[in-house]
Amino acid sequence: MTLFAFLLNYPWEFLQVPLFAGMPTMTHWDAVRFCTRAALGDVLIALVAFWSVAAVRRRAWIRCPDAPALFGFVAVGVAITIGLEWHATVLQDRWQYAELMPTLPLLGTGLAPLLQWLVLPPLLVWLVHRQMLGERWLMACGERAGAGSEVQE
């Protein structure tokens, strides 16, 4: 899951560069470092969201995700994102939104980070689910191949 989370969030971080003040004018490697740290932070958010759902349901919820589990996964990610964006922009002044960034009226949270946690988590769950189905299929084929070779010997 962590690899898929990183691979989905990393390009998103680069795509939203124009929406953050100062990002388009950063040196190349500073921007790469900033986006890499942000994507790694997104991986941590995804892990917290996964384990939050797992604490309520079971760890294997992602093998057969249903609507409540997916909703919980997305909701935890959205809540953390809203909190972190507020903390970073208001309390710590770690970054600011550019004029291009649409924000939520009451919270002031940027729309791009919020959409990130509405769009990417369902895709992440789908990818992980598909990977797990592939692993099960390969294991089943391996068991059949092993069983077949025993019969032939």
Side-chain angles (χ1 to χ4, degrees):
M1 179 157 113
T2 55
L3 178 62
F4 286 134
F6 183 78
L7 292 174
L8 287 172
N9 284 286
Y10 201 48
W12 187 285
E13 294 298 338
F14 282 99
L15 290 172
Q16 63 184 356
V17 161
L19 304 175
F20 287 87
M23 287 284 297
T25 58
M26 275 185 178
T27 66
H28 175 76
W29 287 113
D30 286 342
V32 168
R33 241 179 308 177
F34 192 88
C35 289
T36 302
R37 276 196 311 260
L40 291 171
D42 294 325
V43 170
L44 288 176
I45 295 171
L47 288 171
V48 169
F50 170 82
W51 285 107
S52 297
V53 174
V56 174
R57 302 185 65 111
R58 64 193 191 306
R59 192 174 116 185
W61 71 266
I62 204 158
R63 282 191 191 157
C64 201
D66 57 8
L70 186 58
F71 176 79
F73 184 66
V74 171
V76 169
V78 165
I80 292 172
T81 297
I82 289 172
L84 286 176
E85 290 289 319
W86 177 79
H87 189 266
T89 57
V90 175
L91 292 182
Q92 287 191 324
D93 198 28
R94 290 180 62 201
W95 61 78
Q96 294 300 318
Y97 300 133
E99 289 182 25
L100 293 173
M101 174 76 83
T103 56
L104 295 179
L106 294 175
L107 300 171
T109 303
L111 190 57
L114 185 62
L115 283 175
Q116 181 176 3
W117 282 95
L118 293 172
V119 173
L120 297 185
L123 185 56
L124 175 60
V125 169
W126 180 79
L127 286 168
V128 172
H129 175 70
R130 293 289 298 172
Q131 179 205 23
M132 293 178 94
L133 285 177
E135 285 179 10
R136 277 194 258 160
W137 183 81
L138 289 171
M139 287 173 50
C141 287
E143 289 172 9
R144 276 189 240 127
S149 64
E150 289 174 7
V151 173
Q152 291 174 353
E153 289 180 10

